[in-house]
Amino acid sequence: MQKVIIDCDPGIDDSLALLYALKSPEIDVIAICVVCGNVPVGIGVRNVFHCLQQCNRLDIPVYLGASQPLVVDFVSAQDTHGLDGLGESNLAKEVIDLPVQPMSAATFYATTFSQPTDIAVIALGPLTNIALALTENPKVGLHMSRFVSMGGCYKSHGNCSPVAEYNYWCDPHAARQVYQTLQCPIEMIGLDVTRKIVFTPNLLSYCQYIHPQMGNYLAKLVQFYFDFHWQQEHLLGCVINDPLAVAYFIHPELCEGFTTYVDVETESISRGQTLVDRYHFWQKADNAKVLTEVHTDQFFIQFLSVLLDAPAQTIAEDLTLWKIG
Ligand code: BDR
Ligand code: CA
């Protein structure tokens, strides 16, 4: 089993990603770090405990991370995820409030990665915790087995400005520091691929038929996200970005892309934009793998089979034969 630390800001799609990761037999989630992003960090911690409780995994340590970006003012995405980060579903109201670990998320990374390990990091939120860890220990990236980041965009338009994706826009200085200094190839799961992952009302109904308990839970979680996407872009359903980062981590064949040098703009109207130097104008050494293609059907087969405790073969037949999507 591949050991992994998940850095997140739950968030509706982070919560889906956490449930998926916690239920996936291929990975061992050894810790969860929380960062401010979709919601203030304290709300994010509460939502992490809710996900852990849902999966009977309250044994996994939770580390409190940054409560604000490195330089810019903090702007949450509660318009997208609801004031509680869970689509105002109230799902976390009965959460068991356990204490977080005494160490900060940044110090946890700095110590965990003070020597070579076989531990990977999947970052589903702004990169503030990782940047702070790099400041404490510039070698953290050298000692992790893989680093997958949901963020950025190459040819796709942004989702919070014409050119910027939220995670990198929220803390552009952290994103820039991580791209410039991590020394571990950054596997960038950006909007080019995540925009294709649309969880539709049809798929939700399918989940309710196959696994009523999980299906009804998902219905409560995603309704706000459905409404947001309809109002914002007349999309029926919602784009669930973060579970793709986990799925790609487990099944790299789900996405294709290219390696290149990536930098992040920190200022002005292009704040948070990813500059993907595909044709090597800058002659800089590659620091990233930018994923641009995704096998959407295969993603949903993997994701739903884990979430719904159903054989992948059954899901595959239903989705492809009956064209549920
Ligand atoms: C990213 O921003 C957040 O709103 C989501 O959780 C995801 O990580 C998509 O831009
Ligand atoms: Ca997120």
Side-chain angles (χ1 to χ4, degrees):
M1 272 213 277
Q2 171 69 59
K3 289 190 197 122
V4 49
I5 300 169
I6 298 186
D7 201 284
C8 58
D9 59 335
I12 295 170
D13 60 337
D14 297 79
S15 303
L16 292 172
L18 282 176
L19 295 179
Y20 173 50
L22 293 167
K23 286 164 86 51
S24 289
E26 296 91 344
I27 55 177
D28 176 14
V29 179
I30 62 161
I32 299 177
C33 296
V34 192
V35 65
C36 66
N38 291 321
V39 285
V41 69
I43 300 179
V45 166
R46 197 174 165 75
N47 294 342
V48 166
F49 281 126
H50 166 70
C51 293
L52 292 175
Q53 198 174 335
Q54 282 289 108
C55 298
N56 283 324
R57 290 304 313 271
L58 286 166
D59 56 299
I60 296 176
V62 178
Y63 292 85
L64 181 67
S67 60
Q68 56 184 36
L70 296 185
V71 178
V72 297
D73 288 341
F74 172 50
V75 181
S76 76
Q78 284 161 297
D79 59 335
T80 314
H81 295 264
L83 287 175
D84 65 351
L86 299 180
E88 298 181 5
S89 60
N90 245 341
L91 281 167
K93 78 172 185 299
E94 275 160 25
V95 76
I96 299 176
D97 264 322
L98 290 175
V100 291
Q101 297 298 306
M103 211 182 254
S104 73
T107 306
F108 168 64
Y109 285 122
T111 37
T112 303
F113 296 116
S114 60
Q115 56 195 18
T117 68
D118 58 355
I119 304 168
V121 175
I122 306 177
L124 305 175
L127 296 176
T128 322
N129 291 341
I130 320 294
L132 290 169
L134 276 164
T135 302
E136 278 191 41
N137 173 3
K139 292 199 170 158
V140 287
L142 288 175
H143 297 151
M144 51 181 73
S145 64
R146 280 176 72 189
F147 183 78
V148 175
S149 164
M150 191 282 126
C153 42
Y154 168 47
K155 289 198 171 169
S156 167
H157 56 88
N159 63 358
C160 63
S161 91
V163 295
E165 176 283 327
Y166 175 74
N167 287 337
Y168 294 179
W169 178 89
C170 179
D171 193 342
H173 297 86
R176 178 160 227 221
Q177 184 180 345
V178 171
Y179 273 88
Q180 289 190 341
T181 66
L182 189 67
Q183 302 179 76
C184 172
I186 297 167
E187 298 172 64
M188 183 183 123
I189 292 284
L191 297 176
D192 299 271
V193 279
T194 66
R195 268 190 198 289
K196 294 175 189 149
I197 305 299
V198 181
F199 186 66
T200 61
N202 253 6
L203 284 171
L204 175 60
S205 298
Y206 175 69
C207 294
Q208 288 171 302
Y209 282 124
I210 298 289
H211 191 313
Q213 193 194 344
M214 178 56 81
N216 293 337
Y217 175 83
L218 293 176
K220 287 187 197 144
L221 190 58
V222 301
Q223 187 56 53
F224 190 97
Y225 220 19
F226 277 3
D227 295 341
F228 172 82
H229 281 81
W230 175 252
Q231 281 148 21
Q232 189 76 6
E233 48 191 286
H234 275 213
L235 179 79
L236 268 181
C238 56
V239 176
I240 50 168
N241 307 276
D242 294 336
L244 181 62
V246 175
Y248 163 74
F249 176 79
I250 302 171
H251 307 284
E253 68 281 2
L254 283 178
C255 297
E256 281 143 44
F258 55 88
T259 53
T260 190
Y261 177 78
V262 174
D263 202 345
V264 181
E265 174 58 65
T266 55
E267 305 301 326
S268 186
I269 57 170
S270 32
R271 160 181 166 175
Q273 179 175 17
T274 31
L275 300 147
V276 176
D277 188 16
R278 179 163 197 178
Y279 300 106
H280 308 292
F281 292 105
W282 295 332
Q283 306 265 312
K284 298 248 200 175
D286 294 348
N287 61 354
K289 178 162 190 183
V290 177
L291 286 312
T292 54
E293 305 295 329
V294 55
H295 301 284
T296 309
D297 288 353
Q298 290 305 317
F299 163 79
F300 275 111
I301 292 166
Q302 298 300 339
F303 176 63
L304 294 181
S305 72
V306 171
L307 236 54
L308 306 177
D309 295 320
Q313 184 65 24
T314 308
I315 307 278
E317 280 171 15
D318 287 343
L319 296 198
T320 50
L321 200 60
W322 307 111
K323 300 203 188 330
I324 297 168

